[in-house]
Amino acid sequence: MSSNKVALITGSTSGIGLGIAKKFASHGMNIILNGFGEASAIEEIRAGIAKEHGVQVRYNGADISKPEEITTMIKTIEDEFGAIDVIVNNAGIQFVSPVEDFPMEKWNAILAINLSGSFHTIHCALPKMKEKAWGRIINIASAHALVASPYKSAYVAAKHGIAGLTKTVALETATFGITMNAICPGYVWTPLVEKQIPDTAKARGITEEQVINDVLLHSQPTKKFVTIEQVAALAYFLTTDDAASITGAMIPIDGGWTAQ
Ligand code: NAD
């Protein structure tokens, strides 16, 4: 039973993270939302989830690229709820460019948010999780944690880094009732994917429609985008007792992409 558990989902004001927050709330978990956006829109999301599922929903706007803001966020949650039971490291950004033109600030931001942010949430929250002798840490990695694509050097490097972090922390926590896994989605139709289409078209010298059909869906034998709901259902399964023996795993949900 996940009822009364407390779940922090980073980057949950949009896309996959928001889908996971809704799924967890539907199973009775109290939710900490995090991410950017317009204050009134975030409040509408927060209040909507709380009302629909009768759970407590908080919002914390910590910038996941800033370790000190992560530390403060974790402490705030622990002060109110005690230990955090479930952490989903989901916040992420993308930037597409040939490596020789890749702006250094984009490289630094992607590594900070997509990789180091996960280290910092784990680093801060693990002591209380260990005290409670129960925990679930789920990293939303990517098929790009397993294979590469051109023009995504920072993203692919960060996501491969997440694979190493996932395996290492899984080993360190294995006897503490804590599991740590990475979900590796293929392409999911979210703002993150939508926004990279014009730059990918530019980098490859093709049209935006060709990017969708010949680049994105070309990778996925099913020729379909993965849905947010499918990723959220897998994330929820990893929080259940049935998933207690799954740890240190990189789990693809990619329409067959990485089977090729
Ligand atoms: P999205 O753009 O819809 O959502 C990203 C979320 O991260 C938003 O809530 C945003 O506000 C938040 N965010 C961005 N920078 C942040 C920061 N510095 N601090 C806190 N929050 C921040 O994107 P999405 O597609 O839902 O992506 C979510 C995760 O899934 C990412 O880690 C992404 O790499 C991964 N992923 C996405 C796909 C896909 O096809 N969409 C595929 C594989 C993996």
Side-chain angles (χ1 to χ4, degrees):
M1 277 300 291
S2 50
S3 212
N4 296 324
K5 295 216 179 313
V6 175
L8 164 66
I9 302 117
T10 69
S12 46
T13 52
S14 165
I16 293 170
L18 178 56
I20 292 173
K22 288 178 177 169
K23 178 74 177 175
F24 284 8
S26 77
H27 287 276
M29 289 192 215
N30 297 314
I31 303 294
I32 319 302
L33 297 170
N34 159 262
F36 298 149
E38 207 199 308
S40 61
I42 292 172
E43 175 51 25
E44 201 174 311
I45 291 169
R46 190 205 64 74
I49 297 174
K51 188 169 177 214
E52 184 173 354
H53 301 293
V55 295
Q56 299 192 62
V57 185
R58 305 280 184 269
Y59 166 71
N60 187 301
D63 182 338
I64 296 299
S65 71
K66 300 194 170 131
E68 59 284 1
E69 293 193 20
I70 295 176
T71 306
T72 307
M73 171 173 68
I74 301 288
K75 187 165 183 331
T76 304
I77 302 167
E78 289 176 344
D79 285 350
E80 182 174 5
F81 293 102
I84 302 173
D85 300 291
V86 180
I87 299 175
V88 183
N89 288 308
N90 167 81
I93 58 168
Q94 174 63 286
F95 190 78
V96 179
S97 162
V99 67
E100 65 271 32
D101 301 328
F102 215 94
M104 196 181 296
E105 68 275 12
K106 293 289 184 193
W107 170 271
N108 288 337
I110 289 176
L111 270 285
I113 297 165
N114 296 17
L115 176 58
S116 300
S118 303
F119 163 77
H120 292 297
T121 61
I122 295 162
H123 176 77
C124 295
L126 205 51
K128 287 251 188 293
M129 221 180 228
K130 275 186 169 175
E131 271 174 29
K132 209 169 172 184
W134 195 94
R136 294 286 187 267
I137 305 169
I138 301 165
N139 293 319
I140 305 303
S142 169
H144 283 122
L146 304 169
V147 295
S149 297
Y151 313 121
K152 296 183 178 178
S153 52
Y155 188 86
V156 172
K159 295 295 187 180
H160 274 64
I162 283 290
L165 181 66
T166 302
K167 293 175 192 176
T168 305
V169 177
L171 297 181
E172 292 183 27
T173 57
T175 57
F176 289 89
I178 297 167
T179 69
M180 164 111 167
N181 293 290
I183 294 179
C184 302
Y187 287 108
V188 186
W189 191 258
T190 68
L192 181 140
V193 164
E194 218 175 332
K195 276 187 257 168
Q196 70 185 268
I197 289 172
D199 286 343
T200 304
K202 202 170 136 199
R204 289 178 181 256
I206 57 178
T207 66
E208 295 189 13
E209 201 176 324
Q210 283 171 314
V211 172
I212 293 174
N213 294 314
D214 302 347
V215 179
L216 304 185
L217 293 180
H218 177 74
S219 306
Q220 299 192 175
T222 52
K223 303 290 172 218
K224 285 182 185 156
F225 285 97
V226 179
T227 69
I228 289 173
E229 290 73 20
Q230 289 164 349
V231 178
L234 176 54
Y236 175 68
F237 175 69
L238 290 174
T239 72
T240 64
D241 289 339
D242 285 339
S245 295
I246 303 175
T247 195
M250 307 295 296
I251 306 172
I253 173 165
D254 64 5
W257 175 351
T258 55
Q260 299 168 100

